[in-house]
Amino acid sequence: MIDQQLPEHDQAVLDVDALRVAVERGEVTTVMVAVPDMVGRLKGKRFDAQVFADRLCSGPEMCAYILATDVDMGPVDGFDLTGWESGYGDVRVRPDARMIRHLPYEPGTVLVHADPVHPDGMFVDVAPRQVLRAQLARLQALGLRVKAGLESEFLLYEGDPHQAILNGYRDMRPAAPHNLDYSLDHPPTLTDFFRHLEDVLRDAGMPAESVKTEGAPGQVEIAFPYGEAMRACDAYTVFKHATRALAARRGILATWMAAPESGVGSGLHIHLSLWDGECSLFAPGSGQDHPDHLTRALAGLVSGMPDLMPLCAPYPNSYKRFAPHSFAPTRFSWGSDNRTAAFRITGHSTGRHVEVRLPGADANPYLALAAVCAAIHHGLTTHPDLPDPCTGDGYEDTTARPVPRDLVDALMSFDGSALAEHALGKGVVRHYARAAYHEIDHHLRHVTDVERLRWIDRV
């Protein structure tokens, strides 16, 4: 991850005036209005472009349940935002005029990210973009700007996604036969897919910095350029939308499960640094290898992230990724260029930054980055002690606090946490704790293939 800036202005991203011109010319015929849901997926509606330009630039309405469901879009009781008792009413969604993006894989179509708002115009505080926006504002109040880059791991399987559903996702075959980590000799199917995806991302104004195959069969890692935090997350949601669309057209299924198979884990690594104007506050200088802001940020991450894990690992499956010598951390430790630590200092000069290796591939990028920012703010304002760095095998570092074994343990630290409630607000903590409790209940009520294989004729 190098300090390559995300393009601030490019032809793929339009403002409202440019959109109106494109609509009049017939270049844009459809507008997708997209709200990131709690999972991080884009939910919304497709609008005729002329209708949108004429009447809906101020924002259409959508059912508030898009922020109050489980992963199956099933309504979940217990949310303050909406529910059966209130009739599941609408919220207005306000398009972000800075984020109108051409979709090269959807001819004549643009996508605009939107924010749910209350009747008084205030942002809905539990919406993922607003959760992140609030944490960026807290750091901005300290005179600090966040730059971030996201690094996504995911798996590709051969076969039509619809058929995979009908088969119960059994007997899926990875798109590569074995470990192709750092390989440049890929099967033709993968090479063609990578080229198509790279072209689409470039034409959408969000070019990938690098693409590589990873350690598990069919596993891919894509790193994106470093830049403004909200733009990075918005681009990431479009990347996932594009990847799924392109993969399906080629008879490939893409998954961002944290642990799609036993012994396989995929992460969403967050690369982050703090800036004061054009000055990197993490860069070495004035005889300091670890400047004060970097030291305090690390201390905040080590002491704060244990209370915020459901925002980085939101499902029972998420915790099956945290295994010894898996390259996923099992301890809240930090180190310099040490991939066995949860927080890795990497980069050089003004590109010096922290890589947060805790979030799984299944994490919502807005929420995971918000958790990281909240922990850093905690470090900057309360000055917790920074433990010694991990200089060897982090999996053997018994002095560092262990990562929760499961979502139940993580929730015990998150729900009611003074740190989490102070940073995020009680309503946000209650909302995402409720979602996690629902996932735990769903998991506990179902018998798995593993249980049948282990016990059906042995007990």
Side-chain angles (χ1 to χ4, degrees), residues 93 112 117 124 135 185 203 258 386 439 443:
V93 296
V112 55
V117 295
V124 173
Q135 296 311 308
D185 300 313
D203 291 345
L386 178 65
E439 291 300 327
H443 181 72

Side-chain angles (χ1 to χ4, degrees), residues 46-65:
R46 297 170 64 99
F47 292 95
D48 176 84
Q50 191 64 61
V51 171
F52 180 88
D54 291 344
R55 298 194 284 111
L56 296 174
C57 283
S58 61
E61 292 185 340
M62 298 181 192
C63 180
Y65 105 129

Side-chain angles (χ1 to χ4, degrees), residues 55-285:
R55 298 194 284 111
L56 296 174
C57 283
S58 61
E61 292 185 340
M62 298 181 192
C63 180
Y65 105 129
I66 59 174
L67 296 175
T69 71
D70 60 14
V71 295
D72 290 325
M73 293 301 290
V76 176
D77 290 330
F79 288 114
D80 296 336
L81 175 65
T82 190
W84 296 112
E85 67 283 352
S86 63
Y88 282 108
D90 282 344
V91 290
R92 186 165 64 87
V93 296
R94 181 188 299 162
D96 186 340
R98 303 168 305 164
M99 282 289 102
I100 305 173
R101 187 185 301 276
H102 276 294
L103 299 183
Y105 56 98
E106 294 275 359
T109 302
V110 298
L111 183 146
V112 55
H113 283 79
D115 293 294
V117 295
H118 292 292
D120 62 2
M122 297 292 291
F123 291 116
V124 173
D125 62 352
V126 299
R129 288 183 99 232
Q130 177 57 17
V131 175
L132 175 57
R133 185 182 288 111
Q135 296 311 308
L136 296 176
R138 294 176 80 223
L139 289 171
Q140 188 174 17
L142 300 178
L144 305 174
R145 181 164 61 101
V146 175
K147 287 188 180 181
L150 303 181
E151 182 182 304
S152 173
E153 296 172 344
F154 58 102
L155 262 76
L156 297 174
Y157 290 95
E158 294 180 356
D160 176 72
H162 180 67
Q163 190 60 48
I165 295 173
L166 297 178
N167 292 340
Y169 299 107
R170 289 185 295 270
D171 302 322
M172 293 195 302
R173 186 168 61 184
H178 49 74
N179 183 337
L180 292 179
D181 198 14
Y182 283 100
S183 175
L184 295 177
D185 300 313
H186 300 127
T189 299
L190 273 186
T191 299
D192 292 345
F193 175 73
F194 290 159
R195 182 178 293 112
H196 193 184
L197 181 59
E198 289 163 357
D199 289 344
V200 162
L201 295 177
R202 189 180 304 111
D203 291 345
M206 35 186 270
E209 179 182 288
S210 64
V211 177
K212 66 181 283 287
T213 38
E214 268 282 347
Q219 191 174 40
V220 180
E221 175 192 281
I222 296 186
F224 289 92
Y226 212 55
E228 193 270 324
M230 187 68 77
R231 287 176 64 92
C233 291
D234 286 342
Y236 184 79
T237 60
V238 178
F239 146 71
K240 288 183 69 174
H241 187 275
T243 302
R244 283 196 171 101
L246 298 183
R249 293 172 189 176
R250 291 174 174 268
I252 299 173
L253 182 145
T255 180
W256 282 265
M257 275 186 72
E261 299 179 23
S262 298
V264 176
S266 293
L268 171 60
H269 298 167
I270 296 175
H271 297 253
L272 174 142
S273 59
L274 298 179
W275 292 68
D276 180 1
E278 298 304 312
C279 177
S280 170
L281 299 176
F282 284 5

